[in-house]
Amino acid sequence: MLACLLAGLTIACTSETRHSANREVEEFTTWVDENSTRAETATEEEWNEMEAEYNRKATEIEKRSSDWDDQTKAEWEKVQAQWQETAGRVGARFRATEGEPEFDTEQENLEQ
């Protein structure tokens, strides 16, 4: 009887641990969705803060990856790809603005 009780508790704990780990990935996915949209207009400083937070969160969540089910593993891969796409777009936006000449209104006023 004691063995059955221990087995039941172990299964319940494992199930709760898996559910908790899956929920963390779901919450992280929401965070990535929101910040991917926000990143489109973020300043470089804001982007650096988002990137640091992403790395921190991802590292913490990934520590519990052994508790993930197959669906959560697939969601994790998807959210990482989404963030990498966002990082690529943001990087391209920053590179494009670095190449643009500064508009010098003072110089233009002097020429008129």
Side-chain angles (χ1 to χ4, degrees):
M1 175 122 169
L2 183 59
C4 288
L5 181 61
L6 287 175
L9 287 174
T10 301
I11 291 170
C13 288
T14 301
S15 177
E16 177 57 33
T17 299
R18 178 160 287 147
H19 180 67
S20 176
N22 294 349
R23 189 174 54 247
E24 286 178 333
V25 172
E26 289 172 10
E27 290 170 357
F28 185 63
T29 299
T30 300
W31 184 91
V32 167
D33 288 342
E34 292 169 356
N35 284 280
S36 289
T37 301
R38 191 174 138 229
E40 298 299 324
T41 58
T43 65
E44 194 164 354
E45 182 179 341
E46 291 169 330
W47 168 250
N48 290 337
E49 290 171 8
M50 280 186 258
E51 184 104 59
E53 187 171 356
Y54 170 87
N55 290 331
R56 183 187 57 75
K57 287 177 178 278
T59 299
E60 284 301 310
I61 292 170
E62 204 163 24
K63 288 178 184 177
R64 292 178 283 287
S65 63
S66 62
D67 296 326
W68 297 347
D69 59 20
D70 290 340
Q71 181 179 353
T72 301
K73 289 175 185 175
E75 181 66 26
W76 181 252
E77 295 296 323
K78 181 180 168 186
V79 76
Q80 285 186 308
Q82 178 183 351
W83 189 256
Q84 292 308 311
E85 289 173 15
T86 298
R89 285 192 308 274
V90 170
R93 180 170 59 92
F94 289 146
R95 285 188 301 278
T97 58
E98 286 174 357
E100 293 179 6
E102 291 291 321
F103 186 75
D104 189 352
T105 56
E106 185 178 325
Q107 180 64 33
E108 184 177 275
N109 289 338
L110 290 175
E111 293 175 355
Q112 292 179 357

Short mmCIF file of all heavy atoms in Angstrom, two decimals, residues 31-56 79-95 98:
data_model
loop_
_atom_site.label_atom_id
_atom_site.label_comp_id
_atom_site.label_asym_id
_atom_site.label_seq_id
_atom_site.Cartn_x
_atom_site.Cartn_y
_atom_site.Cartn_z
N TRP A 31 5.37 36.64 -23.94
CA TRP A 31 6.35 37.71 -23.79
C TRP A 31 7.05 37.98 -25.12
O TRP A 31 7.22 39.14 -25.52
CB TRP A 31 7.37 37.34 -22.70
CG TRP A 31 8.36 38.41 -22.41
CD1 TRP A 31 8.26 39.40 -21.47
CD2 TRP A 31 9.62 38.64 -23.08
NE1 TRP A 31 9.37 40.21 -21.53
CE2 TRP A 31 10.22 39.77 -22.50
CE3 TRP A 31 10.29 37.99 -24.11
CZ2 TRP A 31 11.45 40.26 -22.91
CZ3 TRP A 31 11.52 38.49 -24.54
CH2 TRP A 31 12.08 39.61 -23.93
N VAL A 32 7.47 36.93 -25.81
CA VAL A 32 8.16 37.09 -27.10
C VAL A 32 7.23 37.73 -28.12
O VAL A 32 7.64 38.64 -28.85
CB VAL A 32 8.72 35.74 -27.61
CG1 VAL A 32 9.15 35.83 -29.06
CG2 VAL A 32 9.89 35.30 -26.73
N ASP A 33 5.97 37.30 -28.17
CA ASP A 33 5.01 37.90 -29.10
C ASP A 33 4.90 39.40 -28.86
O ASP A 33 4.98 40.20 -29.81
CB ASP A 33 3.62 37.27 -28.94
CG ASP A 33 3.54 35.85 -29.49
OD1 ASP A 33 4.42 35.46 -30.28
OD2 ASP A 33 2.59 35.14 -29.10
N GLU A 34 4.71 39.79 -27.62
CA GLU A 34 4.55 41.20 -27.28
C GLU A 34 5.81 42.01 -27.59
O GLU A 34 5.74 43.11 -28.15
CB GLU A 34 4.19 41.36 -25.80
CG GLU A 34 2.82 40.83 -25.45
CD GLU A 34 2.57 40.75 -23.96
OE1 GLU A 34 3.49 41.04 -23.15
OE2 GLU A 34 1.44 40.37 -23.59
N ASN A 35 6.95 41.47 -27.24
CA ASN A 35 8.20 42.22 -27.42
C ASN A 35 8.70 42.19 -28.86
O ASN A 35 9.43 43.10 -29.27
CB ASN A 35 9.26 41.74 -26.44
CG ASN A 35 8.98 42.28 -25.06
OD1 ASN A 35 9.29 43.43 -24.77
ND2 ASN A 35 8.34 41.50 -24.21
N SER A 36 8.29 41.20 -29.63
CA SER A 36 8.65 41.19 -31.05
C SER A 36 7.96 42.35 -31.75
O SER A 36 8.55 43.03 -32.60
CB SER A 36 8.24 39.86 -31.69
OG SER A 36 9.07 38.83 -31.25
N THR A 37 6.72 42.60 -31.39
CA THR A 37 5.98 43.73 -31.95
C THR A 37 6.61 45.04 -31.48
O THR A 37 6.84 45.96 -32.28
CB THR A 37 4.50 43.65 -31.53
OG1 THR A 37 3.96 42.42 -32.00
CG2 THR A 37 3.71 44.82 -32.08
N ARG A 38 6.90 45.13 -30.21
CA ARG A 38 7.48 46.35 -29.64
C ARG A 38 8.86 46.64 -30.22
O ARG A 38 9.25 47.80 -30.39
CB ARG A 38 7.57 46.17 -28.12
CG ARG A 38 7.90 47.43 -27.39
CD ARG A 38 7.83 47.21 -25.88
NE ARG A 38 8.96 47.90 -25.31
CZ ARG A 38 9.81 47.38 -24.46
NH1 ARG A 38 9.65 46.17 -24.01
NH2 ARG A 38 10.81 48.09 -24.00
N ALA A 39 9.60 45.59 -30.56
CA ALA A 39 10.97 45.75 -31.06
C ALA A 39 11.02 46.46 -32.40
O ALA A 39 12.04 47.07 -32.74
CB ALA A 39 11.64 44.38 -31.17
N GLU A 40 9.92 46.41 -33.14
CA GLU A 40 9.90 47.03 -34.47
C GLU A 40 10.13 48.54 -34.40
O GLU A 40 10.61 49.13 -35.37
CB GLU A 40 8.57 46.74 -35.17
CG GLU A 40 8.30 45.27 -35.41
CD GLU A 40 9.33 44.59 -36.31
OE1 GLU A 40 9.82 45.25 -37.25
OE2 GLU A 40 9.64 43.42 -36.06
N THR A 41 9.81 49.16 -33.27
CA THR A 41 9.99 50.61 -33.13
C THR A 41 10.89 50.98 -31.95
O THR A 41 11.02 52.16 -31.64
CB THR A 41 8.62 51.31 -32.95
OG1 THR A 41 7.97 50.75 -31.80
CG2 THR A 41 7.74 51.12 -34.18
N ALA A 42 11.50 50.00 -31.35
CA ALA A 42 12.33 50.25 -30.16
C ALA A 42 13.62 50.97 -30.53
O ALA A 42 14.15 50.80 -31.63
CB ALA A 42 12.67 48.92 -29.47
N THR A 43 14.09 51.75 -29.58
CA THR A 43 15.41 52.36 -29.75
C THR A 43 16.45 51.27 -29.54
O THR A 43 16.14 50.18 -29.06
CB THR A 43 15.64 53.47 -28.71
OG1 THR A 43 15.66 52.87 -27.40
CG2 THR A 43 14.57 54.55 -28.79
N GLU A 44 17.67 51.58 -29.86
CA GLU A 44 18.74 50.60 -29.68
C GLU A 44 18.90 50.24 -28.19
O GLU A 44 19.11 49.08 -27.84
CB GLU A 44 20.05 51.11 -30.26
CG GLU A 44 21.09 50.03 -30.40
CD GLU A 44 22.23 50.42 -31.32
OE1 GLU A 44 22.19 51.51 -31.94
OE2 GLU A 44 23.18 49.62 -31.41
N GLU A 45 18.76 51.22 -27.33
CA GLU A 45 18.86 50.97 -25.89
C GLU A 45 17.72 50.05 -25.41
O GLU A 45 17.95 49.11 -24.66
CB GLU A 45 18.81 52.29 -25.11
CG GLU A 45 18.97 52.11 -23.62
CD GLU A 45 18.94 53.44 -22.87
OE1 GLU A 45 19.16 54.50 -23.49
OE2 GLU A 45 18.69 53.40 -21.66
N GLU A 46 16.51 50.35 -25.87
CA GLU A 46 15.37 49.50 -25.51
C GLU A 46 15.56 48.08 -26.03
O GLU A 46 15.27 47.10 -25.33
CB GLU A 46 14.07 50.07 -26.07
CG GLU A 46 13.63 51.35 -25.41
CD GLU A 46 12.50 52.04 -26.15
OE1 GLU A 46 12.39 51.91 -27.39
OE2 GLU A 46 11.71 52.72 -25.46
N TRP A 47 16.07 47.97 -27.26
CA TRP A 47 16.30 46.64 -27.84
C TRP A 47 17.34 45.88 -27.02
O TRP A 47 17.17 44.69 -26.74
CB TRP A 47 16.74 46.76 -29.30
CG TRP A 47 17.26 45.46 -29.80
CD1 TRP A 47 18.53 45.13 -30.11
CD2 TRP A 47 16.49 44.25 -30.01
NE1 TRP A 47 18.61 43.83 -30.50
CE2 TRP A 47 17.37 43.27 -30.45
CE3 TRP A 47 15.14 43.94 -29.86
CZ2 TRP A 47 16.96 41.97 -30.75
CZ3 TRP A 47 14.72 42.64 -30.15
CH2 TRP A 47 15.62 41.68 -30.60
N ASN A 48 18.41 46.54 -26.62
CA ASN A 48 19.44 45.88 -25.83
C ASN A 48 18.86 45.36 -24.51
O ASN A 48 19.22 44.27 -24.06
CB ASN A 48 20.62 46.81 -25.57
CG ASN A 48 21.41 47.08 -26.83
OD1 ASN A 48 21.39 46.31 -27.78
ND2 ASN A 48 22.11 48.21 -26.85
N GLU A 49 17.97 46.13 -23.91
CA GLU A 49 17.32 45.69 -22.68
C GLU A 49 16.41 44.48 -22.94
O GLU A 49 16.40 43.53 -22.16
CB GLU A 49 16.50 46.83 -22.07
CG GLU A 49 17.34 47.95 -21.49
CD GLU A 49 16.53 49.16 -21.08
OE1 GLU A 49 15.28 49.11 -21.11
OE2 GLU A 49 17.15 50.19 -20.73
N MET A 50 15.67 44.52 -24.04
CA MET A 50 14.80 43.38 -24.40
C MET A 50 15.63 42.13 -24.65
O MET A 50 15.28 41.04 -24.20
CB MET A 50 13.98 43.69 -25.65
CG MET A 50 12.77 44.53 -25.41
SD MET A 50 11.80 44.67 -26.92
CE MET A 50 12.29 46.30 -27.44
N GLU A 51 16.71 42.30 -25.37
CA GLU A 51 17.58 41.16 -25.70
C GLU A 51 18.17 40.55 -24.43
O GLU A 51 18.22 39.33 -24.28
CB GLU A 51 18.69 41.61 -26.64
CG GLU A 51 19.58 40.48 -27.10
CD GLU A 51 19.28 40.07 -28.52
OE1 GLU A 51 19.39 40.92 -29.40
OE2 GLU A 51 18.93 38.90 -28.73
N ALA A 52 18.60 41.40 -23.50
CA ALA A 52 19.15 40.91 -22.23
C ALA A 52 18.08 40.16 -21.44
O ALA A 52 18.35 39.10 -20.86
CB ALA A 52 19.72 42.07 -21.41
N GLU A 53 16.88 40.71 -21.42
CA GLU A 53 15.79 40.05 -20.70
C GLU A 53 15.42 38.72 -21.37
O GLU A 53 15.18 37.72 -20.69
CB GLU A 53 14.56 40.95 -20.61
CG GLU A 53 13.48 40.37 -19.72
CD GLU A 53 12.34 41.34 -19.46
OE1 GLU A 53 12.39 42.51 -19.90
OE2 GLU A 53 11.39 40.92 -18.78
N TYR A 54 15.40 38.71 -22.69
CA TYR A 54 15.14 37.46 -23.42
C TYR A 54 16.16 36.40 -23.02
O TYR A 54 15.81 35.27 -22.70
CB TYR A 54 15.19 37.70 -24.94
CG TYR A 54 15.15 36.41 -25.71
CD1 TYR A 54 13.95 35.82 -26.07
CD2 TYR A 54 16.33 35.77 -26.09
CE1 TYR A 54 13.91 34.63 -26.77
CE2 TYR A 54 16.31 34.59 -26.78
CZ TYR A 54 15.09 34.01 -27.12
OH TYR A 54 15.07 32.81 -27.80
N ASN A 55 17.43 36.76 -23.06
CA ASN A 55 18.49 35.81 -22.73
C ASN A 55 18.37 35.29 -21.30
O ASN A 55 18.54 34.10 -21.05
CB ASN A 55 19.87 36.43 -22.96
CG ASN A 55 20.14 36.63 -24.44
OD1 ASN A 55 19.66 35.90 -25.29
ND2 ASN A 55 20.92 37.65 -24.75
N ARG A 56 18.05 36.18 -20.39
CA ARG A 56 17.89 35.78 -18.99
C ARG A 56 16.73 34.81 -18.84
O ARG A 56 16.85 33.75 -18.24
CB ARG A 56 17.69 37.01 -18.09
CG ARG A 56 17.58 36.69 -16.60
CD ARG A 56 17.22 37.90 -15.78
NE ARG A 56 15.97 38.55 -16.16
CZ ARG A 56 14.76 38.06 -15.89
NH1 ARG A 56 14.62 36.92 -15.26
NH2 ARG A 56 13.68 38.73 -16.25
N VAL A 79 9.32 29.50 -30.74
CA VAL A 79 9.50 30.82 -30.12
C VAL A 79 10.94 31.30 -30.27
O VAL A 79 11.18 32.49 -30.46
CB VAL A 79 9.03 30.82 -28.64
CG1 VAL A 79 10.02 30.15 -27.71
CG2 VAL A 79 8.75 32.23 -28.16
N GLN A 80 11.90 30.39 -30.24
CA GLN A 80 13.28 30.79 -30.46
C GLN A 80 13.48 31.28 -31.89
O GLN A 80 14.16 32.29 -32.12
CB GLN A 80 14.23 29.63 -30.17
CG GLN A 80 14.41 29.36 -28.70
CD GLN A 80 15.45 28.31 -28.46
OE1 GLN A 80 15.40 27.22 -29.03
NE2 GLN A 80 16.41 28.62 -27.61
N ALA A 81 12.87 30.60 -32.85
CA ALA A 81 12.97 31.03 -34.25
C ALA A 81 12.32 32.39 -34.44
O ALA A 81 12.85 33.24 -35.15
CB ALA A 81 12.32 29.98 -35.16
N GLN A 82 11.18 32.59 -33.78
CA GLN A 82 10.49 33.89 -33.87
C GLN A 82 11.39 35.00 -33.36
O GLN A 82 11.49 36.07 -33.97
CB GLN A 82 9.19 33.86 -33.08
CG GLN A 82 8.45 35.18 -33.10
CD GLN A 82 7.19 35.16 -32.24
OE1 GLN A 82 6.77 34.13 -31.75
NE2 GLN A 82 6.59 36.32 -32.06
N TRP A 83 12.05 34.78 -32.22
CA TRP A 83 12.92 35.81 -31.66
C TRP A 83 14.12 36.08 -32.57
O TRP A 83 14.54 37.23 -32.74
CB TRP A 83 13.38 35.45 -30.25
CG TRP A 83 14.07 36.60 -29.59
CD1 TRP A 83 15.40 36.75 -29.40
CD2 TRP A 83 13.45 37.78 -29.06
NE1 TRP A 83 15.66 37.95 -28.77
CE2 TRP A 83 14.48 38.60 -28.55
CE3 TRP A 83 12.13 38.20 -28.95
CZ2 TRP A 83 14.22 39.82 -27.96
CZ3 TRP A 83 11.89 39.44 -28.36
CH2 TRP A 83 12.93 40.23 -27.86
N GLN A 84 14.67 35.03 -33.17
CA GLN A 84 15.81 35.22 -34.07
C GLN A 84 15.40 36.03 -35.30
O GLN A 84 16.17 36.87 -35.78
CB GLN A 84 16.40 33.86 -34.48
CG GLN A 84 17.08 33.14 -33.33
CD GLN A 84 18.10 34.00 -32.60
OE1 GLN A 84 18.96 34.64 -33.22
NE2 GLN A 84 18.00 34.06 -31.29
N GLU A 85 14.19 35.80 -35.80
CA GLU A 85 13.68 36.60 -36.91
C GLU A 85 13.53 38.06 -36.49
O GLU A 85 13.89 38.98 -37.24
CB GLU A 85 12.33 36.06 -37.38
CG GLU A 85 12.43 34.74 -38.11
CD GLU A 85 11.06 34.14 -38.43
OE1 GLU A 85 10.04 34.87 -38.34
OE2 GLU A 85 11.01 32.95 -38.75
N THR A 86 13.01 38.27 -35.30
CA THR A 86 12.86 39.63 -34.78
C THR A 86 14.23 40.29 -34.65
O THR A 86 14.41 41.44 -35.08
CB THR A 86 12.15 39.61 -33.41
OG1 THR A 86 10.84 39.07 -33.58
CG2 THR A 86 12.07 41.01 -32.81
N ALA A 87 15.19 39.57 -34.09
CA ALA A 87 16.54 40.11 -33.93
C ALA A 87 17.14 40.48 -35.29
O ALA A 87 17.81 41.51 -35.42
CB ALA A 87 17.43 39.11 -33.20
N GLY A 88 16.89 39.66 -36.29
CA GLY A 88 17.39 39.96 -37.63
C GLY A 88 16.78 41.22 -38.21
O GLY A 88 17.49 42.06 -38.78
N ARG A 89 15.46 41.37 -38.05
CA ARG A 89 14.79 42.58 -38.56
C ARG A 89 15.28 43.83 -37.83
O ARG A 89 15.51 44.87 -38.44
CB ARG A 89 13.27 42.45 -38.42
CG ARG A 89 12.64 41.53 -39.44
CD ARG A 89 11.13 41.65 -39.47
NE ARG A 89 10.50 41.50 -38.17
CZ ARG A 89 10.14 40.34 -37.61
NH1 ARG A 89 10.37 39.22 -38.25
NH2 ARG A 89 9.56 40.31 -36.44
N VAL A 90 15.40 43.73 -36.51
CA VAL A 90 15.84 44.88 -35.71
C VAL A 90 17.27 45.25 -36.08
O VAL A 90 17.60 46.43 -36.27
CB VAL A 90 15.70 44.60 -34.20
CG1 VAL A 90 16.37 45.68 -33.38
CG2 VAL A 90 14.23 44.47 -33.82
N GLY A 91 18.12 44.24 -36.21
CA GLY A 91 19.51 44.51 -36.60
C GLY A 91 19.59 45.18 -37.96
O GLY A 91 20.36 46.13 -38.15
N ALA A 92 18.78 44.71 -38.90
CA ALA A 92 18.77 45.32 -40.23
C ALA A 92 18.28 46.77 -40.16
O ALA A 92 18.82 47.65 -40.85
CB ALA A 92 17.87 44.51 -41.17
N ARG A 93 17.28 47.01 -39.32
CA ARG A 93 16.76 48.38 -39.17
C ARG A 93 17.85 49.29 -38.61
O ARG A 93 18.04 50.41 -39.09
CB ARG A 93 15.53 48.38 -38.25
CG ARG A 93 14.94 49.75 -38.03
CD ARG A 93 13.58 49.68 -37.32
NE ARG A 93 13.63 49.05 -36.03
CZ ARG A 93 13.82 49.69 -34.87
NH1 ARG A 93 14.00 51.00 -34.85
NH2 ARG A 93 13.81 49.03 -33.73
N PHE A 94 18.58 48.82 -37.60
CA PHE A 94 19.63 49.65 -37.01
C PHE A 94 20.77 49.88 -38.01
O PHE A 94 21.31 50.98 -38.09
CB PHE A 94 20.18 49.03 -35.73
CG PHE A 94 19.22 49.09 -34.57
CD1 PHE A 94 19.18 48.07 -33.64
CD2 PHE A 94 18.35 50.16 -34.41
CE1 PHE A 94 18.30 48.11 -32.56
CE2 PHE A 94 17.47 50.22 -33.34
CZ PHE A 94 17.45 49.19 -32.41
N ARG A 95 21.12 48.84 -38.77
CA ARG A 95 22.19 49.02 -39.78
C ARG A 95 21.77 50.02 -40.85
O ARG A 95 22.56 50.82 -41.30
CB ARG A 95 22.57 47.68 -40.41
CG ARG A 95 23.40 46.80 -39.49
CD ARG A 95 23.92 45.57 -40.20
NE ARG A 95 22.87 44.72 -40.75
CZ ARG A 95 22.19 43.82 -40.06
NH1 ARG A 95 22.43 43.64 -38.78
NH2 ARG A 95 21.26 43.08 -40.66
N GLU A 98 22.04 53.54 -39.54
CA GLU A 98 23.43 53.98 -39.37
C GLU A 98 24.00 54.52 -40.66
O GLU A 98 24.81 55.42 -40.66
CB GLU A 98 24.31 52.81 -38.89
CG GLU A 98 24.09 52.44 -37.46
CD GLU A 98 24.88 51.19 -37.06
OE1 GLU A 98 25.56 50.59 -37.93
OE2 GLU A 98 24.80 50.82 -35.89
#
